[in-house]
């Protein structure tokens, strides 16, 4: 029976399952301490056939095989680990032989391995998966109609079992958990988390068995059926077991059992049977009440759940969700050192504090230069999910690191992120489907972030089309239209807000998210800009944000709004209000000398007048070399000093660089006759795998203003192409940029290649996650934390020759 046939069957009729296997074998005297219950399949197959037959005669439409504990871990307790295939195949064959006489189905049973996964127990996810996979392969060889995974109490074991079954069996897979009277498993998972995980991972049906009595389980069934369209299997015990005269007794009656099953059926349960303590008499009564009936179909609202092991949140019901950003070691030296040393004290503290401050989800970024991100991601997920209840957002561009985190994750997380690059996106869609995750998608591609709204929306539509092709639920893609720095790209802020607004109209089913900290880069009083930007984005329709929950997000600043909407060129008004540096008032009617006028124009960023003032200075008798070195470069050095002391901010640095470029536009042709100006050629490139280039472009503008001949190779440039360009151009310096921790090691690759070839150029590196320590570790000649420092470092490297 294939999956579609299974679905069609459950649309037409209720399936009556069988009753207990273990307690009934015990009652019949067929078990002994010397035998594993599943060993009966090969030692006394007639006993198992007899029990199947009794349930089929009682009215069962499907029987469940005697293979509950037929996995390597449990069978090894009886030294039967070498008989896994024989026992499992025999179990299916015995059931099939009896079921065929009644035109009934055979469900192959898989139960827990008998040990928890780390950190609750000794097993890893991969070890547990391997145990289940061996059993699933053996069962699949005997071709059951379905596999049913039963009595699970821990979500990561459940995930491993489901993956092993789906990987090795082409038919439908039913997954059941067992719940306490409080409505949770013994490890704290409630019914909503269970549904969330199984829907995300593609179970064909879900259910409950064992544990609580029938009436209590019927209440839980109603909760489950109110939030899912998946078929539900309902298999309660014959009441809550009691110990009487040292014997386990199930006090429930067949009438109580049937009453609960009828209630579950009325709420939509499609498969009904019994677990511990139930007998053929129970199944006969159930068959008389429900056999042949058509399942009840109820309307279920569309939900979008994310979950930890113990908590699910429905994003459909959340008007706005906060993702805490603080679990990120970028530019946090002490945090990096702790993590690298295996110390997770700060990580746990950040998780607790952010959850207390109101973060509904926690972003986890473990990109540390020189560290194994795959290992760190797995450990971080383990530590955090045992510390807090908040669902997680796994933040990495490394497929290996994401998979490590997903294996360790006990719930359904977000993956941050994919973009329009098809090959990488397909890999992450596959991961998300496999392990059960939602996805953040960036509206960018291998060419970077488009400048206009239409292109961003087009990329979003292409990602949706790609998701459809991959079979991924498109309503569970959260789109990030990317908020760039208002100081570097002020016109792009409005484009982002407009894109969010239009996207909401055409795709109301999708959530949108922004990381806000970048918008204020290079400006004073950053939180005023961040908070104002959040308010504007919410008005545009934003539904999620990645931010620091400890900050004050109620601030709304009019000057920040004007800046964000592109009404404050160069952030002059905003800086005048919030910057510590106060410009002296302009004195009217004072005639400045030509050199002072040009110097002031560079400081002020007056690109409109810089070229004319350069001409005036030269006409006054100064040589082109003097104008370049003594006026323009000295003015730029002062701008750099003001930037370091926070008197100037990034917009002013850029404006001064543009003014200097205009001045050099006039001076350069005249300098050909002189020597002593400039530093030669410098190659700039964003390394392979990284499509971010705003920072590199700013560095290029500043370097050009200092007299460098900048050769910008662009972004996503391979080691081979960088080395090839360096051989051809013979630069004094090569500047490498990386904005992602996963691409930083490309820098080391380039340095090694330069060294092996004996090339003479110096290498300077930079980018948000790059540190001076990392530069030293990989043998870079220089490190620059920003564009102003890049000009100084490049000059020093050139002089050291």
């Amino acid at each position: 029976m294939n999956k579609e046939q299974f679905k069609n069957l459950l649309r037409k009729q209720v399936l009556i399952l069988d009753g207990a296997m273990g307690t009934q074998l015990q009652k019949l005297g067929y078990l002994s301490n010397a035998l594993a219950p599943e060993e009966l399949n090969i030692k006394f197959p007639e006993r198992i056939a007899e029990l199947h037959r009794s349930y089929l005669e009682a009215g069962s439409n499907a029987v469940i095989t005697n293979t509950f504990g037929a996995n390597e871990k449990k069978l090894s307790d009886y030294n039967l680990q070498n008989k896994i295939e024989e026992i499992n195949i025999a179990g299916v064959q015995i059931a099939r032989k009896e079921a065929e006489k009644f035109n009934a189905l055979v469900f192959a049973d898989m139960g827990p391995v008998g040990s928890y996964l780390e950190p609750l127990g000794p097993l890893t996810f991969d070890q547990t998966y391997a145990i289940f996979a061996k059993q699933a392969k053996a069962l699949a060889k005997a071709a059951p109609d379905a596999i049913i995974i039963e009595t699970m109490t821990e979500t990561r074991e459940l995930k491993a079992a489901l993956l092993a079954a789906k990987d090795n069996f082409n038919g439908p897979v039913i997954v059941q958990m067992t719940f306490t009277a409080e409505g949770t498993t013994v490890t704290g998972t409630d019914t909503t988390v269970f549904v969330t995980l199984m829907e995300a991972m593609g179970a064909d049906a879900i259910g409950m068995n064992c544990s609580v009595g029938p009436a209590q389980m019927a209440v839980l069934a109603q909760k489950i059926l109110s939030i899912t369209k998946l078929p539900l299997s309902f298999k309660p015990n014959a009441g809550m077991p009691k110990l009487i005269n040292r014997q386990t007794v199930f006090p429930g009656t067949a009438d109580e059992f049937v009453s609960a099953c009828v209630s579950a059926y009325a709420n939509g349960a499609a498969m009904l049977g019994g677990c511990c303590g139930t007998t053929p008499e129970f199944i006969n009564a159930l068959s008389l009440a429900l056999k042949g009936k058509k399942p009840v179909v109820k309307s279920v609202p569309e939900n979008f759940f994310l979950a930890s092991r113990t908590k699910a949140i429905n994003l459909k019901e959340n008007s706005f969700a906060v993702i805490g950003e603080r679990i990120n070691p970028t530019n946090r030296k002490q945090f990096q050192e702790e993590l690298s040393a295996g110390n997770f004290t700060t990580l746990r503290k950040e998780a607790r504090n952010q959850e207390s401050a109101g973060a509904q989800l926690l972003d986890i970024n473990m990109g540390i230069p020189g560290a194994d991100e795959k290992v760190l991601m797995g450990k971080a997920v383990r530590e955090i999910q045992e510390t807090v209840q908040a669902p997680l957002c796994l933040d990495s561009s490394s497929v290996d690191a994401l998979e490590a985190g997903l294996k360790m994750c006990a719930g359904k997380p977000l993956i941050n992120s994919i973009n329009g690059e098809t090959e990488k996106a397909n890999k992450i869609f596959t991961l998300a489907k496999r392990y059960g995750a939602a996805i953040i998608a960036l509206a960018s591609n291998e060419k970077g972030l488009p400048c206009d709204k239409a292109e961003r929306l087009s990329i979003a539509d292409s990602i949706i089309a790609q998701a459809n092709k991959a079979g991924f639920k498109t309503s569970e893609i959260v789109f990030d239209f990317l908020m760039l720095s208002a100081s570097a790209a002020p016109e792009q802020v409005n484009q982002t807000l407009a894109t969010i607004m239009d996207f909401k109209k055409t795709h109301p089913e999708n959530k949108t998210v922004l990381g806000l900290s970048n918008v204020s880069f290079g400006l004073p009083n950053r939180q005023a800009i961040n908070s104002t930007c959040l308010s504007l984005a919410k008005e545009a329709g934003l539904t999620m944000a990645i931010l620091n929950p400890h900050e004050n997000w109620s601030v709304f600043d009019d000057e920040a709004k004007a800046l964000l909407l592109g009404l404050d060129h160069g952030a002059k008004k905003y800086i005048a209000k919030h910057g510590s540096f106060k410009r002296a008032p302009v004195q009217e009617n004072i005639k400045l000398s030509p050199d002072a006028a040009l110097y002031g124009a560079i400081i002020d960023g007056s690109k409109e007048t810089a070229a004319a003032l350069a001409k005036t200075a030269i006409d006054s008798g100064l040589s082109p070399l003097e104008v370049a070195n003594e006026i323009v470069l000295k003015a730029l050095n002062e701008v750099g000093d003001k930037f370091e002391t926070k008197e100037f901010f990034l917009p002013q640095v850029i404006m001064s660089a543009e003014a200097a470029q205009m001045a050099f536009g006039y001076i350069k042709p005249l300098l050909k006759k002189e020597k002593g100006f400039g530093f030669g050629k410098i190659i700039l490139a964003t390394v392979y795998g990284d499509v971010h280039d705003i920072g590199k472009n700013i560095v290029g503008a500043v370097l050009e203003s200092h007299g460098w001949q900048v050769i910008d190779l662009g972004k996503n440039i391979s080691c081979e192409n960088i080395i090839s360009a360096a051989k051809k151009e013979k630069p004094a310096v090569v500047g490498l940029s990386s904005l992602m921790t996963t691409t930083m090691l490309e820098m080391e690759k380039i340095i090694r290649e330069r060294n092996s070839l004996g090339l003479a150029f110096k290498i300077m590196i930079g980018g948000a996650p790059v540190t001076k320590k990392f530069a030293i570790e990989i043998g870079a000649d220089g490190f620059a934390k920003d564009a102003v420092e890049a000009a100084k470092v490049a000059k020093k490297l050139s002089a050291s020759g």
Side-chain angles (χ1 to χ4, degrees), residues 231-272:
L232 180 76
S233 169
F234 183 78
K235 291 186 60 187
N237 288 340
M240 292 292 287
K242 296 180 180 180
L243 195 64
I244 300 175
N245 297 326
R246 300 193 176 186
Q247 296 292 319
T248 299
V249 176
F250 290 87
T253 66
D255 286 344
E256 291 169 342
F257 170 77
V258 171
S259 177
C261 288
V262 169
S263 174
Y265 162 75
N267 284 306
M271 293 173 282
L272 301 109

Side-chain angles (χ1 to χ4, degrees), residues 331-455:
N331 295 327
R332 298 169 68 183
K333 182 180 179 182
Q334 184 175 341
F335 193 17
Q336 289 184 8
E337 290 174 351
E338 283 185 16
L339 293 171
S340 297
N343 181 348
F344 297 98
T345 303
T346 298
L347 178 137
R348 290 189 295 269
K349 180 180 177 181
E350 289 283 15
R352 283 192 295 267
N353 289 346
Q354 287 188 103
E355 186 178 49
S356 298
Q360 288 108 319
L361 294 98
L362 299 178
D363 190 77
I364 305 175
N365 184 314
M366 287 292 109
I368 298 176
D372 189 330
E373 186 183 6
K374 176 181 175 180
V375 171
L376 271 182
M377 181 63 83
K379 289 180 177 180
V381 170
R382 181 191 65 196
E383 295 291 329
I384 293 168
Q385 71 185 5
E386 302 308 321
T387 303
V388 297
Q389 288 189 304
L392 305 179
C393 179
L394 309 185
D395 186 352
S396 177
S397 60
S398 164
V399 173
D400 289 341
L402 287 172
E403 185 164 22
L406 289 166
K407 286 179 179 179
M408 187 60 70
C409 190
K412 175 186 174 184
L414 263 175
I415 290 175
N416 185 12
S417 58
I418 65 167
N419 59 26
E421 293 184 64
T422 303
E423 184 177 349
K424 186 72 169 287
N426 279 337
K427 289 180 181 178
I428 296 179
F429 277 134
T430 299
L431 274 185
K433 279 187 64 180
R434 179 169 178 78
Y435 293 100
I439 288 176
I440 292 176
L442 311 181
S444 64
N445 54 26
E446 64 278 359
K447 297 178 182 178
L449 177 66
C451 293
D452 66 74
K453 176 180 66 177
E455 285 185 73

Side-chain angles (χ1 to χ4, degrees), residues 10 50 55 66 68 224 255 277 421 436 507 511 548 595 610 630-631 640 655 666 710 790 793 799:
L10 293 181
E50 176 191 330
Y55 283 124
N66 181 39
F68 178 79
I224 289 178
D255 286 344
E421 293 184 64
H507 298 81
K511 296 288 182 178
N548 182 349
D595 57 332
E630 300 301 320
I631 301 175
M655 290 173 66
Y666 177 78
V710 175
V793 172

